[in-house]
């Protein structure tokens, strides 16, 4: 473990540490961030009211909208001269938000990423190819500094140019691939297409994150690249990657709870839910200096588990993210997460792991169409076989979603590929 003392802390001791840190951060935002100062006054609360961790629920939520309203630097808790780095969120759901780091924040970030890397079995002997975009996105730089921290060899290749990725992987003997899961699949497909035997590569571990992916997709990537694939989670507003990551048990992502206080709430009512219930993840940063956030609503849907893990860590584990409250589709009143469709598709023989979901409206009725690539063999097969596959997918989707979905098979390699986060849903109702 990278920071065993904190990763295996007795939960009562951890609670004490969290409370001290919570009191300190609440004090800091009250004094240094106008937004929080006003909010606290409005709600008639003062930092002294936080006497236990349960008092957290007295504090207001922070939303992405709040960050947007205070764009670009309004939420910073330190003067700009103490900020040494700026990143921003990917802006997939609107105007980007700006995040800042002090020197200490960068040090913390590197250590948190080192934790998730070590948890996945990465060591200083590894050669790590970072195929996340570098730049304003936190993926590239975040994983980069964590990898250097543990003393591994870093190849900062960034995303894109798949053939070059593969050439470097072969020539430089890459042992760890870091990217989005969808880009890992693109690389895996290309390796197959080029007739390269994945066993001839030195790859052994994949660290994937930044977008939702299913268990079936993990198995697909592991089989194609002959590696162990681990999930890791984070978001720019909170720090970037390093918030949580899987250990070798692959049984949920360990959250760095000594730095992040987590809750699950009902996204409709905002009420905290008991452990194990599914809902929206809410995070309070306990130690960040530049941009401390109180009860930040991530919009990510997951569950938390608190039992001790087989690896010995005592920190809470979050389940793989099911989706975001804002990419949940409501089709004829039924809630649909793209990840549910993915799970079905990946378990069907003859389909490729590339798909697109199209929501439209015909008259007053919403329609859901799923385009799925099939293997070249199926595509050239007789109509009967294709019809069977369509029926099989439609039936399985109906049983999972309770919704009639139209399935169309498309030729291999016709759907768009992604080097960063995949965009699989086209909602024509809003266009
Ligand atoms: O995606 C940070 C990151 C980079 C995490 C590299 C992991 C690896 P943002 O661009 O701000 O930051 O996007 C954050 O991405 O709220 C989730 O909706 C989604 N997300 C991130 N990791 C996962 C994951 C980075 N492992 C948003 N599973 C988050 C599912 C994820 N969704």
């Amino acid at each position: 473990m990278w920071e065993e003392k904190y990763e295996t802390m007795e939960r009562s001791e951890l609670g004490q540490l969290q409370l001290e840190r919570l009191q300190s951060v609440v004090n800091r935002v009250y004094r240094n961030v106008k937004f929080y100062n006003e909010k606290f006054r409005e709600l008639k609360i003062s930092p002294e009211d936080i006497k236990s961790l349960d008092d957290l629920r007295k504090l207001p939520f922070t939303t992405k909208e709040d960050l947007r309203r205070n764009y670009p630097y309004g939420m910073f808790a330190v003067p700009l001269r103490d900020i040494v780095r700026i990143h921003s969120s990917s802006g997939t759901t609107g105007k980007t938000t700006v995040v800042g780091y002090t020197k200490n924040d960068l040090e913390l970030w590197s250590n948190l990423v080192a934790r998730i890397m070590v948890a996945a079995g990465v060591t200083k002997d590894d050669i790590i190819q970072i195929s996340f975009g570098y730049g304003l996105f936190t993926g590239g730089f975040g994983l980069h500094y964590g990898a250097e921290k543990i003393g591994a060899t870093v190849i900062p290749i960034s995303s894109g140019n798949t053939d070059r990725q593969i050439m470097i992987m072969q020539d430089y003997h890459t042992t760890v691939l870091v990217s989005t899961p969808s880009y890992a699949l693109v690389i895996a497909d290309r390796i197959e297409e080029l007739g390269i035997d994945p066993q001839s590569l030195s790859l052994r571990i994949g660290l994937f994150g930044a977008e939702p992916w299913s268990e079936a997709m993990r198995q697909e990537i592991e089989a194609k690249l002959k590696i162990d694939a681990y999930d890791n989670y984070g978001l720019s507003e909170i720090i970037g990657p390093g918030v949580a990551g899987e250990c070798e048990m692959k049984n949920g992502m360990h959250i760095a709870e000594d730095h992040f206080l987590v809750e699950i709430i009902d996204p409709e009512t905002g009420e905290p839910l008991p452990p194990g219930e599914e809902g929206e993840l809410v995070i309070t940063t306990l130690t960040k200096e530049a941009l401390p956030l109180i009860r930040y609503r991530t919009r990510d849907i997951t569950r938390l588990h608190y039992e001790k893990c087989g690896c010995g860590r005592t920190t809470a584990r979050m389940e793989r993210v099911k989706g975001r409250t804002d990419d949940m589709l409501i089709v004829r009143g039924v809630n649909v997460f793209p990840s549910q469709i993915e799970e079905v598709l990946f378990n069907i023989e003859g389909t490729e792991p590339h798909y697109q979901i199209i929501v439209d409206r015909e008259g007053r009725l919403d329609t859901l169409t799923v385009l799925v690539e099939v293997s070249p063999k199926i595509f050239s097969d007789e109509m009967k076989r294709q019809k069977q596959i369509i029926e099989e997918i439609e039936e399985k989707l109906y049983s999972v979603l309770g919704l009639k979905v139209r399935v169309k098979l498309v030729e291999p390699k016709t759907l768009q590929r992604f080097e960063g986060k995949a965009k699989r849903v086209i909602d024509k109702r809003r266009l």
Side-chain angles (χ1 to χ4, degrees):
M1 287 182 210
W2 184 249
E3 289 175 303
E4 191 166 351
K5 174 172 174 218
Y6 296 101
E7 295 177 72
T8 62
M9 216 172 208
E10 283 296 329
R11 291 209 60 89
S12 56
E13 207 186 327
L14 176 65
Q16 189 52 40
L17 179 70
Q18 287 179 319
L19 176 60
E20 284 161 22
R21 290 181 166 178
L22 177 66
Q23 288 167 329
S24 152
V25 70
V26 166
N27 252 304
R28 269 190 295 124
V29 299
Y30 183 73
R31 274 186 283 117
N32 302 335
V33 185
K34 188 164 159 265
F35 166 81
Y36 284 118
N37 187 283
E38 287 173 3
K39 262 254 153 91
F40 283 23
R41 284 166 187 272
E42 235 170 72
L43 295 167
K44 301 201 175 11
I45 42 176
S46 78
E48 291 73 49
D49 294 330
I50 305 301
K51 298 194 173 67
S52 74
L53 286 178
D54 284 339
D55 291 331
L56 180 66
R57 61 173 68 191
K58 294 181 182 160
L59 296 171
F61 290 119
T62 310
T63 63
K64 202 169 182 96
E65 261 317 298
D66 296 326
L67 295 182
R68 286 198 183 121
R69 260 183 244 125
N70 291 282
Y71 177 88
Y73 300 145
M75 299 289 277
F76 287 3
V78 298
L80 217 46
R81 66 170 178 278
D82 291 337
I83 302 279
V84 297
R85 177 93 67 78
I86 299 281
H87 279 282
S88 86
S89 75
S90 32
T92 31
T93 57
K95 198 172 173 74
T96 60
T97 46
V98 179
V99 299
Y101 301 77
T102 63
K103 256 202 159 69
N104 288 336
D105 289 339
L106 287 186
E107 180 62 18
L108 166 67
W109 192 16
S110 310
N111 272 308
L112 292 177
V113 173
R115 269 194 207 183
I116 60 160
M117 288 193 148
V118 171
V122 178
T123 74
K124 66 186 282 299
D125 297 330
D126 277 301
I127 301 176
I128 309 183
Q129 183 160 334
I130 304 203
S131 310
F132 271 129
Y134 278 68
L136 287 180
F137 177 50
T138 53
F141 279 97
L143 271 299
H144 181 106
Y145 280 89
E148 281 191 353
K149 191 88 193 168
I150 62 179
T153 309
V154 185
I155 308 173
I157 185 169
S158 196
S159 65
N161 199 341
T162 309
D163 283 2
R164 183 159 161 265
Q165 298 271 355
I166 295 168
M167 186 190 79
I168 285 187
M169 208 174 262
Q170 287 180 304
D171 294 352
Y172 300 7
H173 309 295
T174 303
T175 59
V176 178
L177 174 64
V178 172
S179 68
T180 56
S182 50
Y183 194 47
L185 258 185
V186 170
I187 294 177
D189 282 351
R190 186 68 184 145
I191 286 178
E192 199 174 69
E193 210 173 73
L194 294 169
I196 298 168
D197 174 10
Q199 303 279 25
S200 70
L201 301 171
S202 311
L203 270 191
R204 57 183 206 98
I205 291 176
L207 280 180
F208 305 125
E211 65 182 3
W213 53 314
S214 59
E215 191 54 41
M217 181 150 168
R218 181 205 315 257
Q219 278 159 22
E220 179 100 23
I221 296 175
E222 290 189 330
K224 284 196 159 157
L225 288 176
K226 307 275 182 270
I227 58 171
D228 274 303
Y230 297 93
D231 195 4
N232 74 90
Y233 169 87
L235 59 165
S236 342
E237 294 84 346
I238 294 303
I239 200 158
V243 174
E246 282 183 322
C247 65
E248 283 169 90
M249 311 297 289
K250 295 184 187 164
N251 187 20
M253 296 179 275
H254 287 279
I255 300 172
E257 281 186 287
D258 46 330
H259 298 282
F260 308 111
L261 193 53
V262 287
E263 305 166 80
I264 293 287
I265 62 160
D266 177 335
E268 302 281 316
T269 64
E271 278 306 304
L273 295 173
E277 297 258 324
E278 180 178 284
E280 178 180 346
L281 179 68
V282 170
I283 306 179
T284 299
T285 65
L286 294 173
T287 50
K288 262 214 348 215
E289 294 179 342
L291 182 62
L293 292 180
I294 305 294
R295 302 190 86 196
Y296 184 68
R297 293 192 57 162
T298 65
R299 305 188 194 177
D300 292 317
I301 303 292
T302 183
R303 286 172 212 271
L304 299 179
H305 298 285
Y306 287 89
E307 312 83 56
K308 189 171 171 179
C309 179
C311 70
R313 289 180 181 80
T314 49
T315 43
R317 278 165 291 150
M318 60 184 271
E319 277 183 14
R320 57 172 64 254
V321 174
K322 185 170 173 189
R324 293 173 58 83
T325 49
D326 45 15
D327 62 33
M328 182 183 79
L329 299 163
I330 304 183
V331 182
R332 277 176 260 150
V334 179
N335 296 352
V336 177
F337 284 99
S339 63
Q340 293 173 293
I341 297 180
E342 178 177 304
E343 189 80 44
V344 167
L345 295 178
F346 274 57
N347 283 311
I348 297 209
E349 191 76 25
T351 63
E352 296 287 311
H354 301 286
Y355 63 96
Q356 191 155 60
I357 300 168
I358 300 171
V359 198
D360 208 346
R361 182 162 288 161
E362 283 168 18
R364 289 168 60 183
L365 208 59
D366 293 336
T367 59
L368 191 62
T369 308
V370 180
L371 307 183
V372 195
E373 281 186 18
V374 283
S375 63
K377 165 141 187 358
I378 303 272
F379 200 75
S380 56
D381 253 359
E382 46 192 291
M383 290 301 281
K384 199 165 135 236
R385 176 78 185 106
Q386 294 186 14
K387 206 158 159 265
Q388 267 173 358
I389 292 199
I390 292 179
E391 276 167 13
E392 187 189 351
I393 303 176
E394 288 183 343
E395 265 165 39
K396 291 220 168 110
L397 284 174
Y398 186 78
S399 73
V400 170
L401 306 174
L403 193 71
K404 184 116 191 50
V405 176
R406 207 179 287 158
V407 171
K408 283 191 189 152
L409 304 184
V410 301
E411 234 176 300
K413 307 197 194 326
T414 45
L415 295 178
Q416 197 186 341
R417 300 292 192 262
F418 302 93
E419 293 168 355
K421 297 180 191 245
K423 283 188 209 73
R424 304 205 197 266
V425 181
I426 302 177
D427 195 340
K428 295 189 172 164
R429 295 174 302 183
R430 274 180 237 138
L431 297 181

